[in-house]
Amino acid sequence: MREFNNLIYIVEDQVAVITINRPKFLNALNSEVLHELSEAIDEIEKDATIRAVVLTGAGEKAFVAGADISEMHQKNKPEGRDFSFYGNSIFSRLEKLQQPVIAAVNGFALGGGCELALACDIRIASNRAKFGQPEVGLGIMAGFGGSQRLPRLVGSGIAKGLLYTGDMVTAERAYEIGLVNLVVDPSEVLEEAMTMAKKIAAKSPIGVQYTKKAINEGLDMDIESAISLESDLFGSLFSTEDQKEGMSAFLEKRPPVFKGK
């Protein structure tokens, strides 16, 4: 299994688990962490057996407390743009993975950490987790997609309130506004994420992948184009072994065995 300096990467029951492992620094994102996250995504893209991904942070205090300010504070304008572009490119790769990605948010998800969670498909949070985009208090703004993904997820009004004030919200409030899917006790966060990931892994990989594609691409289209995309993807699935197996299993009253073909 691939080893990293700042990440723990394992594959269990067709689920890849990425743990950002800098608990001393509250798992803050620096260039090295981002580079290793990109390499972990490479590993997932090369492994056809992986059907879902779980992303979490080491320790009990933080998922990711933000980007590493000690690395950022001396950057000039071109360097700041390059850092934002680099982080955004990696988060976009995560968002566009064929497999669903579940964020298991075990503590602070602030700044780049909140943006990392936003790039995932689903967010399961500890009841002690806190979310926020505090960048305006540092004289900057969200730079890893927060100004774009947050409004798309919770609506522009709520997003603007969070982005303009830099306020943190509790896990319960994050659930109320649609930022997270589920809030559980701290001891259950990773377990719940793995349970959901394994449930997804048991379904048709192609069906799940096409569903993700339809949602992600359809959100940027007008409704007529999005419906046309859905119909095209739906039709394509009827040429797959998974469709034949899934429907045959249903009619034969047995569990399906999907091969992702």
Side-chain angles (χ1 to χ4, degrees):
M1 191 61 62
R2 178 66 184 274
E3 294 187 1
F4 297 93
N5 293 326
N6 301 283
L7 306 178
I8 300 170
Y9 177 84
I10 64 171
V11 177
E12 175 184 326
D13 296 332
Q14 299 179 305
V15 177
V17 182
I18 302 171
T19 305
I20 298 176
N21 189 31
R22 297 184 78 211
K24 182 179 178 181
F25 303 99
L26 299 181
N27 302 320
L29 301 172
N30 58 18
S31 296
E32 186 178 4
V33 176
L34 290 171
H35 179 69
E36 290 191 356
L37 181 58
S38 181
E39 290 184 328
I41 294 170
D42 290 339
E43 294 294 314
I44 293 166
E45 289 177 336
K46 291 185 295 186
D47 190 341
T49 69
I50 294 172
R51 297 187 178 183
V53 180
V54 171
L55 179 63
T56 192
E60 298 179 357
K61 292 184 178 180
F63 171 70
V64 169
D68 194 330
I69 297 172
S70 65
E71 179 181 348
M72 287 194 295
H73 81 291
Q74 293 292 351
K75 291 186 183 298
N76 59 29
K77 180 178 178 179
E79 291 168 342
R81 183 190 182 281
D82 289 346
F83 187 60
S84 173
F85 185 83
Y86 184 56
N88 267 315
S89 67
I90 295 165
F91 286 15
S92 291
R93 288 188 65 205
L94 183 71
E95 184 177 47
K96 292 175 183 177
L97 272 174
Q98 287 188 330
Q99 301 89 341
V101 183
I102 301 170
V105 183
N106 47 311
F108 290 111
L110 306 176
C114 186
E115 290 167 304
L116 181 58
L118 289 169
C120 299
D121 296 283
I122 295 165
R123 287 151 291 280
I124 297 175
S126 158
N127 56 25
R128 296 178 186 171
K130 298 287 180 63
F131 295 82
Q133 300 286 166
E135 289 88 349
V136 291
L138 299 171
I140 56 173
M141 62 173 283
F144 287 173
S147 68
Q148 303 307 309
R149 291 191 180 95
L150 188 60
R152 285 169 167 80
L153 188 63
V154 305
S156 63
I158 291 174
K160 287 176 179 178
L162 293 172
L163 290 161
Y164 295 170
T165 65
D167 286 347
M168 287 192 298
V169 295
T170 65
E172 287 77 10
R173 177 57 178 159
Y175 176 77
E176 290 173 359
I177 63 177
L179 178 53
V180 303
N181 298 68
L182 184 67
V183 179
V184 298
D185 289 337
S187 62
E188 299 174 355
V189 176
L190 188 56
E191 179 183 352
E192 287 287 347
M194 289 299 294
T195 296
M196 182 177 289
K198 290 176 182 179
K199 183 180 291 186
I200 292 168
K203 307 303 182 187
S204 162
I206 303 178
V208 172
Q209 290 167 15
Y210 279 26
T211 300
K212 178 170 178 174
K213 180 180 178 69
I215 294 169
N216 285 359
E217 295 185 11
L219 284 171
D220 292 325
M221 297 178 177
D222 60 82
I223 188 64
E224 290 82 6
S225 299
I227 291 295
S228 178
L229 171 66
E230 179 185 82
S231 295
D232 288 341
L233 293 171
F234 180 82
S236 296
L237 288 167
F238 282 80
S239 65
T240 67
E241 293 181 21
D242 275 5
Q243 178 265 331
K244 302 296 185 290
E245 167 62 13
M247 293 191 176
S248 295
F250 177 84
L251 294 172
E252 295 164 12
K253 296 180 172 57
R254 61 173 176 82
V257 179
F258 293 116
K259 298 179 180 179
K261 296 180 180 180

